[in-house]
Amino acid sequence: MNNSSWIEKLRQRWQLGSIFQVVVVLVVFACTGITIALIKRPLLLFLFGESAAGSTLVTVLYYIFILPLYNVVLLAYGFLFGQFDFFWKFEKRFLGRIFSGFRKTNK
């Protein structure tokens, strides 16, 4: 099996021009994930203080708060790495899927 076949599949799925772009996109996702992981504790302390650590409610609220922040950080890294257009389209698709459940259907 060819080692780069999964990268080629991602290139085609994401409609990117080169394997280098796929690698850059993967680096952006990695940087975003690391950044969000690093700010989790300070964010929780800021929003909920020391006493709320480990609470299920705090965990649920954290995921609600972190989603928009993740999207902003993803766009910022996409801009820094020169892939803003890809991530802007990615965000529009993502938000479209989230909000499609709230749209009324005409019968």
Side-chain angles (χ1 to χ4, degrees):
M1 181 173 202
N2 188 355
N3 287 339
S4 66
S5 65
W6 63 273
I7 293 178
E8 182 60 31
K9 287 179 185 176
L10 285 176
R11 187 190 70 75
Q12 292 172 0
R13 179 177 180 178
W14 289 340
Q15 300 173 351
L16 295 171
S18 68
I19 290 177
F20 177 75
Q21 278 186 290
V22 174
V23 171
V24 172
V25 166
L26 293 174
V27 167
V28 169
F29 278 120
C31 289
T32 303
I34 290 169
T35 300
I36 295 302
L38 289 174
I39 66 170
K40 178 180 181 179
R41 181 165 166 73
L43 183 64
L44 287 176
L45 289 174
F46 175 75
L47 292 175
F48 304 108
E50 285 285 338
S51 61
S55 165
T56 303
L57 177 62
V58 169
T59 302
V60 170
L61 290 175
Y62 166 75
Y63 287 114
I64 291 170
F65 283 123
I66 207 66
L67 181 62
L69 183 60
Y70 178 89
N71 291 328
V72 169
V73 172
L74 186 66
L75 288 173
Y77 275 121
F79 176 77
L80 290 175
F81 283 87
Q83 296 297 318
F84 183 81
D85 288 339
F86 170 81
F87 285 101
W88 183 247
K89 291 175 189 172
F90 181 86
E91 288 297 323
K92 288 194 291 188
R93 283 191 313 267
F94 174 74
L95 293 173
R97 289 180 191 140
I98 286 177
F99 292 118
S100 68
F102 296 111
R103 292 185 191 137
K104 292 182 181 180
T105 57
N106 295 330
K107 291 186 179 184

